[in-house]
């Protein structure tokens, strides 16, 4: 009888271990290429670019099954410069994401550094958030759809719902971690719907005084090279769009707006509206072609300007994990008031703001995923 009890106890312990299954996955992306950028300090710039399409990264993703549909999840993801091994953001070991949470049939709750709802619901409808990468970001990336520029939210708690017949929604709140509760806090919310080839998404993000508390929700905001350290202001982004996939083609339409106001001691304001149309077509299972056009109208106080941006990309898969690409983006700005705002194509670590109202960026590179 004693032997039976011992055997039963041992079997029960093994059953418990087998029930709480866990796994950890190592993953990453390596992306490098030769990049040409025009009109940088009045000259052409040639650079060996790191992450022209996807920021170089490696990460660990884990899950533990707790039973009853409940799971523990975590992600640790670091961005880096492939060409010299440096961190994508100095001082951050996991610059892209670092969070832990619980997932159930109702949804997921996570805590840490993570992307917000504009990233989850709006960015995938844009060229920059799907196939195009940094170069295809809207003027100056002021709406922050390009996650290669490090726009994750610190000190955040995030809820993402389950999928209800194609509909999902979520919200993120980033704490200031300061006695001044609103000094560098951030919040966002969004929703989306998917059915067959149709995908619809909308989102909103707000950051309050992101540059006055370096321990808060947001990293330092750099608007096209303008240093705003220790300046209080409010930053907001709105967006909505849709895409439709049919056969080997996907077409998308998107609108976003970025607003900066409530600056310290003055009534200055900056805003841009971006209207994008994009398309991707797979000529063969290995060869894909992408194109996008974005029209931007904006204002800095009473000064109004426009920007037109055109982008093309060709991508060829050598295998399921390795591909080569060639892409180019051209941007030109204008203003009815005679002067101009300098063109500003988001160009990753090879960035250089234009010294004129025109700029072109072209890259040829290779990408490997593991």
């Amino acid at each position: 009888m004693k032997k039976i009890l011992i055997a039963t106890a041992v079997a029960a312990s093994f059953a418990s271990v087998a029930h709480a299954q866990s796994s950890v996955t190592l993953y990453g992306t390596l992306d490098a290429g030769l990049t040409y950028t025009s009109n940088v300090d009045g000259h052409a710039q040639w650079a060996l670019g790191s992450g022209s399409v996807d920021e170089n990264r490696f990460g660990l993703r884990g899950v533990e099954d707790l039973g009853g549909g409940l799971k523990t999840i975590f992600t640790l993801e670091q961005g880096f410069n492939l060409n010299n091994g440096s961190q994508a953001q100095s001082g951050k070991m996991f610059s892209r994401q670092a969070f832990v949470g619980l997932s159930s049939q109702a949804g997921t709750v996570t805590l840490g550094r993570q992307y917000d709802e504009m990233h989850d619901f709006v960015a995938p409808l844009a060229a920059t958030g799907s196939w195009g990468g940094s170069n295809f970001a809207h003027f100056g990336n002021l709406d922050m759809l390009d996650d290669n520029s490090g726009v994750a939210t610190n000190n955040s708690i995030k809820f993402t719902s389950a999928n209800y017949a194609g509909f999902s929604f979520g919200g993120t709140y980033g704490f200031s971690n300061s006695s001044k509760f609103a000094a560098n806090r951030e919040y966002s919310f969004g929703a989306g719907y998917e059915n067959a080839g149709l995908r619809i998404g909308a989102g909103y993000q707000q950051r309050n005084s992101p540059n006055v508390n370096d321990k808060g929700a947001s990293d330092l905001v750099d608007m096209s090279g303008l240093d705003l350290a220790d300046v209080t202001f409010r930053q907001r982004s709105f967006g909505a769009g849709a895409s439709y996939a049919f056969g080997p083609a996907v077409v998308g339409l998107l609108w976003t707006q970025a607003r900066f106001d409530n600056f310290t001691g003055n009534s200055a304001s900056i805003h841009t509206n971006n209207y994008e149309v994009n398309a991707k077509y797979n000529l063969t299972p290995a060869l894909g072609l992408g194109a996008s056009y974005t029209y931007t109208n904006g204002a800095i106080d009473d000064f109004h300007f426009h920007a037109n941006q055109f982008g093309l990309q060709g991508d060829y898969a050598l295998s399921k994990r390795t591909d080569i690409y060639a892409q180019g983006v051209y941007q030109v700005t204008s203003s009815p008031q005679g002067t101009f705002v300098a063109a500003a194509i988001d160009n990753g670590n090879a960035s250089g703001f234009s010294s004129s109202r025109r700029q072109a960026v072209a890259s040829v590179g290779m990408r490997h995923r593991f």
Side-chain angles (χ1 to χ4, degrees):
M1 182 66 179
K2 184 176 181 181
K3 291 181 180 180
I4 293 175
L5 291 174
I6 294 174
T8 302
V10 172
S13 67
F14 276 111
S16 177
V17 172
H19 179 70
Q21 293 293 326
S22 63
S23 65
V24 177
T25 302
L26 172 66
Y27 68 94
T29 301
L30 305 176
D31 181 345
L34 181 63
T35 298
Y36 164 85
T37 307
S38 69
N39 295 330
V40 179
D41 298 323
H43 303 279
Q45 173 184 282
W46 291 91
L48 187 62
S50 173
S52 294
V53 179
D54 285 327
E55 183 178 58
N56 289 286
R57 71 195 73 170
F58 67 89
L60 295 171
R61 184 182 295 117
V63 58
E64 180 186 18
D65 190 345
L66 303 177
L70 187 65
K71 298 178 181 179
T72 301
I73 61 172
F74 76 85
T75 294
L76 300 172
E77 186 174 293
Q78 164 72 329
F80 64 93
N81 186 328
L82 182 65
N83 298 329
N84 59 23
S86 62
Q87 295 174 319
Q89 289 182 276
S90 179
K92 283 185 168 58
M93 184 173 182
F94 297 109
S95 59
R96 292 180 62 86
Q97 301 182 84
F99 63 81
V100 65
L102 293 173
S103 175
S104 72
Q105 296 178 350
T108 302
V109 176
T110 48
L111 299 94
R113 177 175 170 84
Q114 52 201 320
Y115 294 115
D116 64 18
E117 313 319 310
M118 283 289 287
H119 172 273
D120 290 352
F121 293 101
V122 179
L125 303 172
T128 191
S130 52
W131 49 265
S134 296
N135 297 164
F136 292 78
H138 301 152
F139 178 84
N141 193 36
L142 299 183
D143 55 12
M144 306 184 78
L145 294 189
D146 175 25
D147 65 17
N148 291 342
S149 296
V151 294
T153 306
N154 301 319
N155 314 324
S156 64
I157 180 169
K158 177 178 180 178
F159 172 75
T160 303
S161 76
N163 188 310
Y164 297 102
F167 177 75
S168 60
F169 58 92
T172 302
Y173 187 90
F175 289 84
S176 68
N177 280 10
S178 167
S179 59
K180 297 180 179 179
F181 187 76
N184 197 353
R185 66 173 176 175
E186 178 181 342
Y187 52 88
S188 70
F189 51 84
Y193 176 76
E194 294 185 51
N195 183 21
L198 177 65
R199 183 171 187 172
I200 301 172
Y204 172 78
Q205 173 207 70
Q206 178 166 323
R207 297 181 171 194
N208 290 353
S209 302
N211 287 20
V212 299
N213 170 18
D214 60 5
K215 296 180 181 179
S218 304
D219 295 332
L220 179 69
V221 174
D222 181 9
M223 294 194 306
S224 299
L226 179 62
D227 185 6
L228 297 175
D230 299 321
V231 176
T232 62
F233 62 96
R234 179 178 61 180
Q235 176 189 1
R236 292 176 290 171
S237 297
F238 313 77
S243 67
Y244 188 75
F246 50 99
V250 180
V251 295
L253 295 171
L254 180 70
W255 163 79
T256 66
Q257 183 180 94
R259 303 189 70 90
F260 296 77
D261 52 25
N262 290 2
F263 285 91
T264 304
N266 63 62
S267 59
S269 66
I270 302 170
H271 79 265
T272 59
N273 285 286
N274 305 288
Y275 306 89
E276 177 186 335
V277 56
N278 59 72
K280 181 75 181 288
Y281 184 81
N282 290 320
L283 291 173
T284 71
L287 178 61
L289 300 178
S292 74
Y293 167 71
T294 300
Y295 168 72
T296 299
N297 66 59
I300 304 173
D301 293 332
D302 294 327
F303 175 78
H304 296 267
F305 66 93
H306 311 277
N308 289 275
Q309 179 173 292
F310 308 84
L312 294 172
Q313 183 194 80
D315 183 85
Y316 184 79
L318 301 175
S319 69
K320 291 183 178 180
R321 296 179 179 270
T322 303
D323 61 313
I324 54 177
Y325 60 84
Q327 63 184 28
V329 176
Y330 175 76
Q331 185 184 104
V332 57
T333 66
S334 61
S335 172
Q337 282 134 300
T339 58
F340 66 89
V341 172
I345 296 177
D346 197 17
N347 200 16
N349 76 308
S351 63
F353 298 109
S354 177
S355 52
S356 76
R357 69 187 190 93
R358 304 175 187 273
Q359 189 165 56
V361 172
S363 301
V364 178
M366 174 179 177
R367 177 175 50 178
H368 175 73
R369 305 176 183 89
F370 62 89

